[in-house]
């Protein structure tokens, strides 16, 4: 029987803790098959972008589920500015259409899940107080991956080079 590993991760710029950031860094660097990221304010810094594109170049299927409708117009425009980069680096983009997205969850290789308050952006990485739970379990990770795949199919529009113009 597989053990369920759950750990609490913090980002706290005052205490110089970057645990959540390090979790994402590890997910992006160590995944071998799939990475699915759902983030409401997705503005990854240079390091995150490099790690995601490197994973995709190494054959990892990288999917990002982002807000189609946003309550922060400026953030959404900045996020869309990155679409050219993401598409060029073979990262699949899906925009959630159902309502405003506030989810913050990622799963790697249908095995490791991180969920909490962390958005994949430099504010969450370096200036906010954030808390996530990391869960390492094949059954749970597979369930989360299946649910995110259903969200992609039922509630998202895919952004492609053909239907996106910068």
């Amino acid at each position: 029987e597989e053990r369920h590993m759950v750990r609490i991760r913090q980002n706290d710029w005052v205490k110089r803790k970057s645990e959540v950031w390090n979790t994402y860094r590890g997910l992006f660097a160590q995944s071998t098959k799939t990475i699915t990221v759902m983030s409401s304010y997705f503005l990854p810094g240079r390091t995150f972008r490099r790690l995601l594109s490197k994973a995709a170049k190494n054959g990892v299927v990288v999917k990002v589920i982002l807000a189609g409708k946003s309550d922060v117009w400026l953030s959404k425009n900045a996020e869309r500015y990155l679409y050219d980069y993401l598409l060029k680096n073979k990262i699949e983009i899906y925009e959630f259409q159902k309502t405003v997205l506030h989810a913050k969850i990622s799963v790697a290789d249908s095995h490791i899940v991180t969920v909490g308050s962390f958005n994949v952006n430099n504010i969450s990485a370096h200036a906010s107080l954030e808390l996530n739970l990391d869960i390492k379990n094949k059954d749970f990770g597979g369930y989360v991956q299946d649910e995110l795949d259903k969200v992609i199919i039922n509630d998202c529009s895919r952004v492609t080079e053909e239907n996106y113009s910068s």
Side-chain angles (χ1 to χ4, degrees):
E1 182 175 314
E2 183 187 14
R3 292 184 59 193
H4 302 268
M5 190 209 61
V6 178
R7 65 182 176 182
I8 298 170
R9 304 291 274 173
Q10 263 186 349
N11 262 31
D12 184 337
W13 63 275
V14 173
K15 295 179 181 175
R16 299 191 191 281
K17 286 188 175 189
S18 299
E19 295 169 348
V20 181
W21 191 92
N22 287 329
T23 288
Y24 272 92
R25 185 179 185 162
L27 291 181
F28 297 165
Q30 297 166 13
S31 296
T32 59
K33 296 177 190 132
T34 61
I35 300 169
T36 303
V37 176
M38 181 183 258
S39 180
S40 47
Y41 307 107
F42 183 81
L43 291 165
R46 196 172 293 139
T47 301
F48 275 6
R49 287 194 310 269
R50 261 195 308 257
L51 288 169
L52 280 173
S53 61
K54 184 176 180 184
K57 283 182 178 84
N58 288 335
V60 176
V61 176
V62 180
K63 300 177 184 180
V64 293
I65 304 168
L66 310 175
K69 304 169 186 177
S70 182
D71 56 348
V72 182
W73 176 83
L74 184 62
S75 174
K76 187 64 207 174
N77 283 344
E79 183 179 274
R80 285 192 174 128
Y81 179 78
L82 295 176
Y83 282 13
D84 284 331
Y85 174 88
L86 297 172
L87 292 168
K88 181 179 78 177
N89 285 282
K90 309 294 185 237
I91 295 165
E92 297 178 20
I93 305 168
Y94 300 90
E95 287 188 339
F96 184 77
Q97 299 298 321
K98 209 169 184 179
T99 185
V100 173
L101 179 69
H102 276 285
K104 298 140 180 101
I105 188 168
S106 297
V107 60
D109 294 337
S110 297
H111 184 82
I112 302 169
V113 175
T114 188
V115 60
S117 63
F118 186 88
N119 282 296
V120 179
N121 63 41
N122 279 342
I123 294 171
S124 283
H126 304 295
S128 294
L129 301 175
E130 305 289 359
L131 183 71
N132 270 32
L133 290 178
D134 293 352
I135 303 102
K136 185 176 182 183
N137 177 269
K138 288 180 185 174
D139 290 337
F140 182 71
Y143 172 77
V144 170
Q145 184 65 61
D146 290 345
E147 290 300 309
L148 290 177
D149 288 342
K150 288 178 194 171
V151 166
I152 287 171
I153 291 166
N154 297 319
D155 302 319
C156 293
S157 296
R158 184 163 182 186
V159 177
T160 64
E161 289 179 10
E162 294 75 32
N163 69 13
Y164 175 72
S165 59
S166 50

